[in-house]
Amino acid sequence: MSRSRRLLGAFAGFAVAAVALSGCVAGEDAPAPAGSDAAASDVTIKLDWATYNPLSLIIKDQGWLEADGYNVEWVQSLGSSKANEALRAGAIDFGSTAGSAALLARANGVPQQIVDVVAQPEWSALVVPADSDITSVADLKGKSVAAALGTDPYFFLVQALEAEGLSIDDVTVQNLIHADGWAALQGGSVQAWAGLDPIMASAEASGAKLLYRNLDFNSYSVLNATESIIKDHPEVVQVVVDAYERARAWALENPDKTAQILADAAAIDPAVAQKVIDEREGLDVDPVPGSALSAVLAPIGAIQVSLGDVTSQDKVDTALDTLFAPEFAEKAKG
């Protein structure tokens, strides 16, 4: 089966229509400045949480936004592609994705921008069963691999194959969200899985083998906001980014508590969660989206064009020029 046919179903919905993104303020068209009790009580923040984004878990667990008087609609994201879908549909105003997925969405016309860098994790690797006879990336030729299209693990897979002189056409990709990919690997319907923490760390603890690791093939974890909320309610964006930077400081000061929050949210062993936080999450990074993130995303953008996921390099270049809204993290950091 050709790659275009294999991926058709996954990307059929990626053609961007004009979607009416709902506003986040109920009542007043021009709310009082954020921070006052009156303004907070009028604001509903549609915010995602994801087990691959520990800062979102901390904000949800600690209830800081609610304590400040904001109404919060929490929506779980099961992967970058799902977060992007929710952002496009207006189901959330803020969504957690890999930088690669944010670039893909922006290059395909989705009106969202990165407002905060969450982490620089080593969260993706290629995983095989404990008893697999696959010992190298080259051995994946002709095999079925589970990967969630449009996410960091998918682009990790593409780069890993290219590093060994192969292409995505040399494998059969089964488009599965991360948890389903691990289930497929366990069930034997695929021979390898492009994994994502914390599910991947749990799989490793249960005996699965990390076939291939490469930090350079992981893009940053980022927080996106819709352009509508950035334009119409920048004060709300600042509130959320401030909460993220508060959560970062809290996580760095409380790694054990952070691991327990992750373990509870992901339903994984606390020791596995601790491994993710201590060894692979990479929360101690500059939160301002800028040149470091752009340098990681540029080669991924070229891959997206070569795969046909973006129709031209010009679209990638334009996306990179307009993807970041750094002013909120700059203010929070200051």
Side-chain angles (χ1 to χ4, degrees):
M1 181 182 294
S2 69
R3 178 183 176 276
S4 60
R5 289 182 62 192
R6 289 200 307 270
L7 306 191
L8 180 60
F11 282 98
F14 212 92
V16 179
V19 178
L21 296 176
S22 58
C24 68
V25 177
E28 299 293 335
D29 290 333
S36 71
D37 291 340
S41 65
D42 285 342
V43 173
T44 296
I45 302 174
K46 295 182 293 183
L47 183 63
D48 82 343
W49 66 275
T51 58
Y52 54 87
N53 178 354
L55 299 189
S56 72
L57 304 181
I58 292 169
I59 297 168
K60 184 174 185 289
D61 179 80
Q62 297 295 299
W64 293 326
L65 295 172
E66 293 88 346
D68 286 341
Y70 295 96
N71 302 308
V72 182
E73 292 181 9
W74 287 103
V75 177
Q76 184 180 11
S77 289
L78 296 175
S80 294
S81 57
K82 296 299 182 183
N84 277 337
E85 288 173 10
L87 285 162
R88 286 198 301 275
I92 54 176
D93 301 309
F94 300 90
S96 309
T97 75
S100 58
L103 175 61
L104 181 62
R106 183 77 185 184
N108 282 289
V110 181
Q112 65 190 58
Q113 291 180 288
I114 295 172
V115 294
D116 195 69
V117 176
V118 175
Q120 188 182 18
E122 185 190 6
W123 57 5
S124 300
L126 300 185
V127 186
V128 295
D131 59 354
S132 176
D133 58 2
I134 296 173
T135 60
S136 70
V137 174
D139 292 338
L140 293 177
K141 186 172 183 178
K143 302 294 194 299
S144 291
V145 183
L149 298 178
T151 68
D152 238 32
Y154 172 68
F155 292 114
F156 184 96
L157 170 64
V158 173
Q159 292 176 94
L161 290 169
E162 291 187 347
E164 295 298 321
L166 301 176
S167 77
I168 199 67
D169 291 324
D170 288 311
V171 301
T172 298
V173 175
Q174 298 292 333
N175 179 28
L176 298 169
I177 61 173
H178 307 299
D180 291 347
W182 168 225
L185 187 70
Q186 291 174 290
S189 59
V190 297
Q191 288 76 58
W193 166 51
L196 183 76
D197 275 335
I199 301 170
M200 184 175 70
S202 185
E204 186 182 13
S206 70
K209 297 185 295 187
L210 301 189
L211 173 70
Y212 182 79
R213 299 171 66 175
N214 190 329
L215 179 60
D216 292 340
F217 290 169
N218 290 260
S219 75
Y220 288 76
S221 172
V222 300
L223 179 69
N224 303 269
T226 62
E227 280 191 345
S228 60
I229 198 169
I230 292 172
K231 177 183 177 182
D232 298 336
H233 302 292
E235 75 285 353
V236 175
V237 181
Q238 192 64 60
V239 164
V240 171
V241 174
D242 287 347
Y244 258 79
E245 292 316 304
R246 181 180 179 183
R248 185 190 311 280
W250 191 94
L252 294 174
E253 292 174 4
N254 300 279
D256 294 349
K257 292 179 180 178
T258 300
Q260 187 59 58
I261 290 172
L262 174 59
D264 292 342
I268 60 176
D269 187 282
V272 173
Q274 195 72 59
K275 179 183 180 70
V276 171
I277 296 301
D278 290 347
E279 299 179 18
R280 301 214 285 239
E281 190 56 45
L283 293 170
D284 191 11
V285 297
D286 187 342
V288 181
S291 58
L293 177 56
S294 184
V296 170
L297 294 182
I300 294 176
I303 291 171
Q304 291 169 348
V305 174
S306 70
L307 294 174
D309 299 336
V310 181
T311 58
S312 73
Q313 184 62 44
D314 286 345
K315 288 186 176 181
V316 168
D317 295 341
T318 299
L320 282 171
D321 288 342
T322 59
L323 182 59
F324 305 154
E327 60 270 23
F328 304 102
E330 289 171 345
K331 184 175 180 180
K333 182 181 176 182

